[in-house]
Amino acid sequence: MPYAPLLTALHGDTDRPDALRLSGRTCSYEELLGAAGAVARRADGLAALAVEAAPTLETAAAVVGGLLAGVPVVPVAPDAGPDERDHVLGDSGAQFVPVDFAERADFAAEPRGGTALVLYTSGTTGPPKGVLVSRAAIAADLDALAAAWEWTAEDTLVHGLPLFHVHGLVLGLLGALRTGSALVHTGRPTPEAYAAAGGTLYFGVPTVWHRVVREEAAAKALAPARLLVSGSAPLPVPVFEALHALSGHRPVERYGMTETLITVSARASGERVPGAVGTPLPGIATRVADPVDGIGELQLTGPTLFDGYLGRPEATAASYTEDGWFRTGDIAAVAADGTHRIVGRASTDLIKSGGYRIGAGEVENALLAHPAVREAAVVGAPHPDLGQQIVAYVVADGVAAQELTDFVASRLSAHKRPRAVRFLAELPRNALGKPQKRLLPPL
């Protein structure tokens, strides 16, 4: 896939002075292309280009410069510790180059294919693996999402997400460049910043939307927007309902992974069901493997899948079934109309208790419906009789454990009630706001 079709906007309305606004600084697409050309000249011929992925115009220029040069871009988290940084740079062979946004240069690029990004993702064991994401996969995914969300050059996209993950970088930066929409990156994704941005299309993770609905004025200020999109983790049903009540919007939820990009989504013009992530995008096929009680591991195929883990052929092979379907490791249920619900991760969120298979996400949503509960994470812990017992970690005020147990039992089947409840000041989370269950303290 040549670079030009991937960066559609850079060949469209290049003179708009505020096409991109990152952390308060603005530029036109023409200015971005000139700065990226200077980066491309320095990066040309490198094995990979390392980019300090802060929400700045320099980061945007570096990413586009790498794409212009046909060099794989390796985003590095600005707060990465020395061990993590050394691993990413050593594993990928990526090098930094100077980036001066005031510098301008032309770069006559030849049409190129191959790897666009190397995104590092952590598993449950071992150091992070480099995920090879191609230009073709990015282009296919962004075009499918533009159609699903009716995303055009008339939109102004607003988000405050990190630029070293798929959500903020691929969707939130390259998506704007692909569609030609304006982009406002708020720096920090605060409710006040979202309310003041005046966008038509907003991206956020559940933590962001939870904070927005706690600031009612901010949520109401989003009423003029066209679409709110939530991703990177399941959106709790109570947050969905609060967004609808306060802003008038039923948010779009979607599902994806670093290895697959976004594969399933609700549609801008379709029904949006709380707790559901919609239907597969065009070209994506999904299946639920070995379902029991209607749930099992979600597997899929399609044009948005990665090209493998950098230097790890065995890990790449292990991520696919014998007949070529990618193993997501996520547990899902699919309704008769094709609507997908993600129950959780197979490793942590599928609880087998007393012969039942229980999705942690369902119990978490029930807990979050209690007015005293602000956050909840549910896991399975070994139990001599049940096999596993349901354990709930909650952030809550003025409520006892038994009350929460009874509350869940009143909303769900009795066997889905927590057998143990532990109160925390906060849940451990990563940069995207996903709860890190492996970091929860033991009972």
Side-chain angles (χ1 to χ4, degrees), residues 26 60 83 147 150 189 211 220 244 269 299 310 313 329 421:
T26 63
D83 291 348
E150 301 172 12
R211 291 171 180 170
K220 291 177 179 178
H244 185 212
S269 58
Q299 300 176 353
L310 178 64
V421 177

Side-chain angles (χ1 to χ4, degrees), residues 319-418:
S319 67
Y320 285 89
T321 64
E322 291 184 359
D323 58 347
W325 290 66
F326 179 75
R327 307 174 188 269
T328 67
D330 285 320
I331 303 302
V334 182
D337 66 356
T339 298
H340 287 51
R341 294 180 183 271
I342 306 301
V343 176
R345 291 293 294 173
S347 58
T348 59
D349 293 331
L350 182 62
I351 302 168
K352 299 177 182 179
S353 181
Y356 295 100
R357 289 164 64 119
I358 301 158
E362 184 181 19
V363 183
E364 289 163 358
N365 277 326
L367 287 163
L368 289 166
H370 192 287
V373 176
R374 300 196 304 275
E375 300 179 60
V378 170
V379 299
H383 189 275
D385 179 47
L386 299 172
Q388 286 184 304
Q389 66 173 339
I390 299 172
V391 179
Y393 292 82
V394 298
V395 180
D397 297 313
V399 64
Q402 188 61 50
E403 181 180 342
L404 293 179
T405 295
D406 294 342
F407 182 78
V408 172
S410 72
R411 298 175 68 91
L412 305 177
S413 300
H415 67 266
K416 295 179 180 179
R417 69 190 186 281

Side-chain angles (χ1 to χ4, degrees), residues 72-172:
V73 173
V74 183
V76 179
D79 62 350
D83 291 348
E84 180 182 354
R85 182 179 291 261
D86 289 348
H87 169 70
V88 169
L89 297 179
D91 188 65
S92 66
Q95 300 176 50
F96 290 100
V97 302
V99 180
D100 180 355
F101 196 81
E103 190 176 1
R104 301 286 183 266
D106 293 326
F107 187 84
E110 297 294 328
R112 302 174 188 268
T115 301
L117 302 172
V118 183
L119 302 174
Y120 277 80
T121 183
S122 297
T124 56
T125 60
K129 299 187 292 290
V131 176
L132 302 174
V133 182
S134 71
R135 294 164 178 264
I138 293 172
D141 202 52
L142 293 177
D143 288 349
L145 291 175
W149 300 341
E150 301 172 12
W151 183 5
T152 72
E154 301 303 312
D155 279 306
T156 295
L157 169 64
V158 177
H159 74 88
L161 304 170
L163 297 185
F164 47 90
H165 289 293
V166 166
H167 198 166
L169 176 59
V170 177
L171 277 61

